[in-house]
Amino acid sequence: MRIAIIGAGGVGGYFGGRLAQGGNSVTIVARGAHGEQIKKSGLHIKSPKGDTIITNIHVVKTIAELKDCELIILGVKAWQVKGVATELCNVVNSNTIVIPLQNGVLAAKELCEFLPTENVMGGLCSIFSKIESPGVISHMSAEPTIVFGELDNSISERSVQIKKTFDAAHITNKNSNYIQGDTWKKFVLICLGGLGALTRSNYGELLQTPELRSMLIEMLNEMYTVAISEGIKLKESIIDNTMSIMDNFSPDANSSMARDIWNGKPSELEYQNGTVVMLAEKQKIEVPVNYFIYQALLPSEKRSRNTVLN
């Protein structure tokens, strides 16, 4: 399959490398030292599943250089999706499928503002990974998984073919018949990282502090109420299930949003707790814990973006 990866960080780099290992024709859009190192020496993946160097990856610097892609996977940050979508307008054709793997619940909708709906599937991923150094992706923990699906929740011929492609690359995956529900299940989990970002705490510290653990449960109740009001079919057991998932995280693990905020970088705050607040306001629902976290983190988010712009 002819596959393009936009965003060659911990997500795009890892899955792009595995897809190239699986015999696909993979092109990665990567700039700077990271892209140059991949072009020169291949992509080095360090992982509990085995270290490897993948050399059969084509590297380009711009989206405009992509040609005849059958599948495009977006591994950029959630706040970069709209900008990428405008560039994709001149790249996709009638046979191109675009799957976003961003955190949050807005990526597919934002893509459809610029691209024909038939070009877009919903998607998400689970992985703890990062760029360790130029050309090197470090996968730390969790089974790397992709969940994807048609926006009309059908199991189509093309979604079956994509699943076969992921299977052949030994990527754990699910061809979802309810991608909106699956996306929300991850969304409520990642938004809990906002409390870690605010308190500068890892997951273990959040869970082991009774007062903070109670706040996590309050956040989940708020997000469950918002999801139901948005017409998402979730079982109330998602609250206990999500806490169980967190209890199995490594105690020193933390969210990518928290790491960005701690390091003074632009983060996905608007696409996580900010989205909870936005949807709650639309539905006239009170979400006091998520509201406080969002408003408390907003000044540092604005500072980081002003620094980038200046």
Side-chain angles (χ1 to χ4, degrees):
M1 202 171 198
R2 296 186 300 278
I3 301 172
I5 307 293
I6 301 177
V11 170
Y14 180 88
F15 288 119
R18 295 304 188 198
L19 286 164
Q21 269 189 310
N24 298 283
S25 174
V26 174
T27 299
I28 286 182
V29 179
R31 303 176 180 88
H34 187 51
E36 290 301 319
Q37 189 63 35
I38 296 172
K39 189 182 297 186
K40 177 182 177 182
S41 305
L43 178 66
H44 186 182
I45 294 179
K46 295 182 178 180
S47 169
K49 300 172 72 69
D51 295 355
T52 187
I53 298 177
I54 301 113
T55 57
N56 60 323
I57 293 179
H58 184 52
V59 180
V60 297
K61 293 182 179 179
T62 65
I63 292 172
E65 297 174 73
L66 299 175
K67 299 183 186 301
D68 300 321
C69 300
E70 295 174 281
L71 175 62
I72 298 176
I73 294 176
L74 303 190
V76 297
K77 294 291 188 179
W79 49 273
Q80 297 173 311
V81 169
K82 283 189 176 182
V84 169
T86 61
E87 296 185 67
L88 286 176
C89 291
N90 298 318
V91 171
V92 303
N93 57 53
S94 59
N95 296 317
T96 305
I97 302 164
V98 182
I99 298 180
L101 298 183
Q102 281 63 45
N103 291 324
V105 293
L106 301 179
K109 179 181 178 181
E110 290 183 341
L111 285 172
C112 290
E113 293 175 11
F114 300 90
L115 303 175
T117 302
E118 55 266 27
N119 285 116
V120 180
M121 286 188 182
L124 62 104
C125 70
S126 298
I127 185 172
F128 283 109
S129 57
K130 64 179 181 179
I131 297 177
E132 181 177 294
S133 59
V136 181
I137 301 295
S138 176
H139 160 224
M140 284 91 68
S141 62
E143 176 64 24
T145 302
I146 293 176
V147 180
F148 66 98
E150 295 283 8
L151 298 180
D152 65 3
N153 296 316
S154 64
I155 301 297
S156 63
E157 183 178 339
R158 66 181 190 169
S159 70
V160 171
Q161 184 55 52
I162 290 173
K163 177 168 179 53
K164 289 179 180 178
T165 299
F166 289 153
D167 287 343
H170 303 291
I171 295 172
T172 300
N173 69 95
K174 174 186 175 183
N175 183 2
S176 174
N177 62 358
Y178 189 33
I179 190 61
Q180 294 84 1
D182 284 326
T183 303
W184 266 87
K185 287 177 185 177
K186 182 187 178 184
F187 180 60
V188 300
L189 174 62
I190 62 170
C191 285
L192 299 179
L195 184 59
L198 181 59
T199 60
R200 303 190 72 83
S201 302
N202 294 328
Y203 286 127
E205 295 166 318
L206 293 177
L207 293 164
Q208 292 162 18
T209 305
E211 295 81 2
L212 295 180
R213 189 180 183 94
S214 293
M215 289 182 72
L216 292 173
I217 295 171
E218 288 182 50
M219 292 175 70
L220 286 169
N221 277 291
E222 291 176 2
M223 292 184 283
Y224 173 75
T225 302
V226 172
I228 296 301
S229 72
E230 284 286 301
I232 304 299
K233 299 173 184 176
L234 294 179
K235 295 180 180 179
E236 196 169 359
S237 59
I238 189 174
I239 295 168
D240 289 337
N241 292 342
T242 302
M243 290 302 294
S244 295
I245 291 171
M246 284 195 73
D247 283 329
N248 285 313
F249 282 167
S250 172
D252 60 354
N254 45 57
S255 71
S256 59
M257 186 181 81
R259 292 193 297 272
D260 286 339
I261 288 172
W262 297 342
N263 292 325
K265 298 179 180 178
S267 77
E268 294 181 332
L269 177 64
E270 291 291 344
Y271 285 86
Q272 294 186 32
N273 304 94
T275 297
V276 176
V277 172
M278 179 267 291
L279 294 176
E281 289 177 347
K282 184 181 77 170
Q283 298 292 348
K284 296 181 171 53
I285 295 170
E286 296 292 326
V287 288
V289 180
N290 278 282
Y291 181 85
F292 175 75
I293 290 170
Y294 171 63
Q295 296 295 345
L297 290 172
L298 200 52
S300 64
E301 182 70 17
K302 289 179 178 179
R303 281 196 301 272
S304 68
R305 292 187 179 277
N306 286 337
T307 299
V308 171
L309 292 175
N310 294 332

